[in-house]
Amino acid sequence: MFDNRTDAGEQLAERLHTEGVHADVVLGIPRGALPVARPVADRLDLPLDIVAAKKMGAPNNPEYAIGAAAPDGSAWLNDEAIQQLDVSDAYLESAREQAAETAREKEETYREGPPEPIEGRRVLLVDDGVATGATMLASIRRLKSGGAESIIVAVPVGPPSTLDRIRQEADEVIALEEPARFGAVGRFYRNFGQVTDEEAQEYLTT
């Protein structure tokens, strides 16, 4: 159980430092990842930037992720869910385009200067936790298409099944907790309030 996202970030930072993790840049998935990623970047003395992705919701159930898309249009699709729900190709394409546009708007909102270069660099990708892993997997796909040398995923908490899926895509995955009974990320925080746009920007400029 973590007190809040900053506490989770400090614990994650200590774990990464103890294990001797090496990277060139820390990327957080806005907004919730930034209070976690800031202590990590500070502890490892690395620049902090963002990589945005937006969940693609199922027809008539927008909270159920059938995938996620990054600003460049790259996407991860939950093929099993798509097949079970018999989601049409037309719906998928429309949802991907809308999610990619939302992700582009996120990056424009939070980032003031030019993005940190990714090509040929070792990326430490941080979030406040993973549930389905959709946005994390879409972010990994985007970083791969951008030429990242390696991608290490670091999160405070996530279910084993999702973390195993992410391990198939990332070079390494580090999680402080991997509870078999999961439910939702917020269950593992005493304080899991929303991070505002203004707070997110402050974490990036600190």
Side-chain angles (χ1 to χ4, degrees):
M1 179 71 71
F2 307 104
D3 289 337
N4 51 37
R5 289 181 177 88
T6 297
D7 173 50
E10 290 170 351
Q11 292 189 45
L12 189 60
E14 193 57 36
R15 169 79 172 272
L16 295 166
H17 182 264
T18 299
E19 293 194 5
V21 170
H22 295 288
D24 299 307
V25 60
V26 176
L27 298 183
I29 301 174
R31 294 171 297 197
L34 291 170
V36 181
R38 181 77 263 172
V40 170
D42 291 346
R43 184 72 172 89
L44 302 181
D45 195 23
L46 295 173
L48 173 62
D49 200 358
I50 57 173
V51 56
K54 175 63 176 175
K55 178 174 64 179
M56 298 162 53
N60 304 315
N61 187 3
E63 293 304 311
Y64 183 66
I66 57 172
D72 64 352
S74 58
W76 172 80
L77 300 177
N78 186 336
D79 294 326
E80 182 178 347
I82 290 166
Q83 184 175 4
Q84 287 178 346
L85 297 172
D86 195 24
V87 181
S88 70
D89 289 343
Y91 179 90
L92 280 176
E93 182 59 21
S94 174
R96 185 189 63 80
E97 290 178 357
Q98 290 179 18
E101 176 61 28
T102 301
R104 281 192 292 272
E105 291 172 356
K106 280 187 177 183
E107 290 200 345
E108 291 171 0
T109 297
Y110 302 127
R111 183 190 287 124
E112 292 185 351
E116 283 286 332
I118 297 303
E119 186 173 3
R121 302 183 83 190
R122 299 166 296 178
V123 176
L124 183 55
L125 181 56
V126 175
D127 205 351
D128 55 12
V130 292
T132 65
T135 53
M136 179 65 75
L137 288 159
S139 298
I140 292 171
R141 297 274 174 95
R142 190 220 180 152
L143 295 173
K144 285 183 176 179
S145 69
E149 178 184 312
S150 63
I151 302 167
I152 300 171
V153 170
V155 293
V157 63
S161 58
T162 297
L163 293 169
D164 286 344
R165 184 182 296 166
I166 294 171
R167 287 185 177 100
Q168 296 174 16
E169 301 269 349
D171 294 281
E172 185 177 356
V173 176
I174 296 171
L176 298 181
E177 297 183 15
E178 300 187 33
R181 297 182 64 181
F182 190 76
V185 172
R187 287 186 57 222
F188 301 91
Y189 287 82
R190 293 184 180 89
N191 182 346
F192 197 65
Q194 287 279 0
V195 177
T196 68
D197 289 341
E198 292 76 15
E199 288 171 337
Q201 291 167 333
E202 286 178 8
Y203 286 114
L204 283 170
T205 57
T206 299

